Amino acid sequence: MPDFDPDQFHTPPKVTPLNLDCISLDGGGWAPSQFEGKTQEGYNIYCRYRGGYLSVEISNEPDGDPLNNGHLILAAGLGPKLHGAMSLGQLCSIAGITINGMQPPMPSLPEMRKNGWLDLSGASSFYDFYMECTVETAKHAATIAHNILEEAYFVETIRDNDHQIVGAVLRNTAAEFETSDPTIIFGVKPSASKLAKVSQNVWLEDLCSNSLVVDLSCIGFQCPPPTFARSHYIDKRLENVGRSIKIAGYDNECLHQTLWMRATFPADDVDKRSTLQQITDKLVALRPEIKIQATDLETGERLPSFDKTERVDPKIAEWALSDVENWLRVRVESVNEQNIIVGYRPSI
């Protein structure tokens, strides 16, 4: 099997069961999901799931506080990095917890979709790819991903005036996108009659179960990206030294945002994983690594200790280099316990 980039792929690991029986256990929520309970022996437990990380802590003594006077009995990088929701049934199944000898039921598929719960059993793998870029580059990236395989199709959902999904349509190119969340289907071309069945309860994955379904998300596909709000503190300090600058993302000449691609697929499906890795390789190459130089914007002094090497959208780098007062970003950094205003731009 080929090596796959761990930053894009995640398969939930198998967790050693706690074999813990509780008198009570309840909770819920999103980012984090939190559950509190008491074991048959009277020890309190606290379970938390956020950022893909699941932890269970238990008090050191009966009726004690598991957070302030307890210890960790389970810690697992369970889900994708930005995920933070699970049901009570999932928690108990994964962690090996019962309530009075019984395991709570697992949620149904409609319940999972409604609540944003994922299959964390290890049977499914998750793919997440992010890149900061201009809308032009985002559309180019979508086209590159689409062209990885010959049988690939752009699809967009249709929503009514109440924002409910009432079908889907094929798009020929990324230039035709009308929504911020199109999809690429790798596999058999879906018919118009099949796409008409797409709804809040019937997903593309249900109708194209053998295909690889990759969801895209980028606000700029639908409307202009928002302009970030600048720091009044930074602007005031630069004004005091007579400096006027432009910052990528904060200026209408160079707006950018995050393109997100994600997919869920069977953990043992090497072909789907390989296709996603090919997409990753192509998209990573879109933003070559360049050297970023740091400068104290109040004194003009170069700060080599803050220099970096990172991947940057060439469109953004080109804009930054087009004027000496165009900057990739500006931050407040600490040097010798003093706050200084540091600007970052590509090395010439």
Side-chain angles (χ1 to χ4, degrees):
M1 181 181 294
D3 292 330
F4 297 107
D5 190 334
D7 289 335
Q8 276 77 51
F9 295 94
H10 181 79
T11 302
K14 293 298 182 183
V15 176
T16 302
L18 295 173
N19 297 319
L20 198 65
D21 190 37
C22 293
I23 298 172
S24 62
L25 179 65
D26 54 41
W30 222 111
S33 287
Q34 302 176 90
F35 305 85
E36 297 182 11
K38 184 183 292 289
T39 70
Q40 296 291 344
E41 296 76 24
Y43 294 87
N44 290 324
I45 66 169
Y46 172 72
C47 312
R48 188 175 191 269
Y49 177 65
R50 183 177 185 179
Y53 178 75
L54 174 65
S55 62
V56 178
E57 296 180 81
I58 189 168
S59 62
N60 291 328
E61 55 189 30
D63 295 321
D65 184 342
L67 292 177
N68 296 315
N69 185 24
H71 60 280
L72 196 66
I73 57 174
L74 188 152
L78 193 64
K81 291 179 181 179
L82 296 182
H83 191 242
M86 67 166 50
S87 72
L88 178 62
Q90 285 181 296
L91 168 67
C92 291
S93 175
I94 292 166
I97 300 174
T98 53
I99 304 174
N100 295 314
M102 302 291 291
Q103 190 170 96
M106 291 289 286
S108 65
L109 181 58
E111 288 175 325
M112 293 184 68
R113 288 176 172 176
K114 179 181 178 180
N115 291 282
W117 299 329
L118 298 177
D119 173 17
L120 300 174
S121 67
S124 297
S125 289
F126 306 99
Y127 171 80
D128 290 275
F129 179 86
Y130 306 86
M131 59 184 283
E132 196 69 20
C133 58
T134 62
V135 175
E136 181 181 354
T137 299
K139 290 184 178 181
H140 183 42
T143 301
I144 288 175
H146 172 275
N147 293 342
I148 289 292
L149 295 181
E150 184 174 343
E151 291 187 323
Y153 308 94
F154 285 132
V155 177
E156 284 193 296
T157 54
I158 302 170
R159 295 179 181 269
D160 61 18
N161 292 334
D162 296 321
H163 303 289
Q164 298 296 299
I165 297 175
V166 291
V169 294
L170 290 169
R171 301 293 188 201
N172 293 316
T173 68
E176 299 176 13
F177 290 162
E178 296 181 0
T179 68
S180 61
D181 51 357
T183 296
I184 306 176
I185 294 178
F186 295 92
V188 178
K189 182 178 182 179
S191 64
S193 60
K194 179 175 286 189
L195 292 177
K197 298 177 182 178
V198 176
S199 67
Q200 296 293 127
N201 299 318
V202 179
W203 290 17
L204 284 168
E205 288 88 337
D206 302 326
L207 302 172
C208 307
S209 57
N210 293 324
S211 299
L212 172 61
V213 178
V214 180
D215 294 318
L216 285 65
S217 179
C218 180
I219 294 174
F221 289 157
Q222 185 174 16
C223 55
T227 304
F228 302 146
R230 288 179 57 149
S231 164
H232 294 297
Y233 171 76
I234 290 176
D235 284 347
K236 184 63 176 177
R237 285 187 54 169
L238 294 180
E239 181 183 330
N240 290 339
V241 295
R243 191 149 196 179
S244 177
I245 65 171
K246 295 180 179 180
I247 310 171
Y250 297 80
D251 190 274
N252 287 329
E253 294 178 359
C254 185
L255 297 178
H256 59 80
Q257 59 189 199
T258 302
L259 169 65
W260 181 17
M261 293 189 179
R262 59 192 183 277
T264 301
F265 60 97
D268 59 358
D269 194 322
V270 178
D271 291 336
K272 287 186 172 65
R273 189 179 291 257
S274 178
T275 298
L276 291 167
Q277 184 62 52
Q278 291 179 62
I279 292 174
T280 299
D281 294 341
K282 292 284 188 180
L283 298 192
V284 167
L286 271 182
R287 299 187 307 157
E289 281 192 334
I290 61 174
K291 185 176 181 180
I292 307 299
Q293 291 185 340
T295 301
D296 184 329
L297 292 181
E298 292 173 292
T299 66
E301 178 186 355
R302 279 275 293 112
L303 301 169
S305 63
F306 285 95
D307 288 354
K308 308 173 185 294
T309 299
E310 59 188 58
R311 295 188 179 277
V312 178
D313 181 344
K315 297 293 182 182
I316 299 175
E318 179 183 356
W319 173 84
L321 290 171
S322 68
D323 191 286
V324 294
E325 292 294 14
N326 289 356
W327 299 84
L328 293 179
R329 60 182 175 273
V330 176
R331 291 178 177 170
V332 178
E333 306 282 10
S334 179
V335 176
N336 298 325
E337 299 184 354
Q338 298 292 321
N339 287 334
I340 62 173
I341 310 300
V342 179
Y344 295 88
R345 56 185 285 115
S347 174
I348 299 175

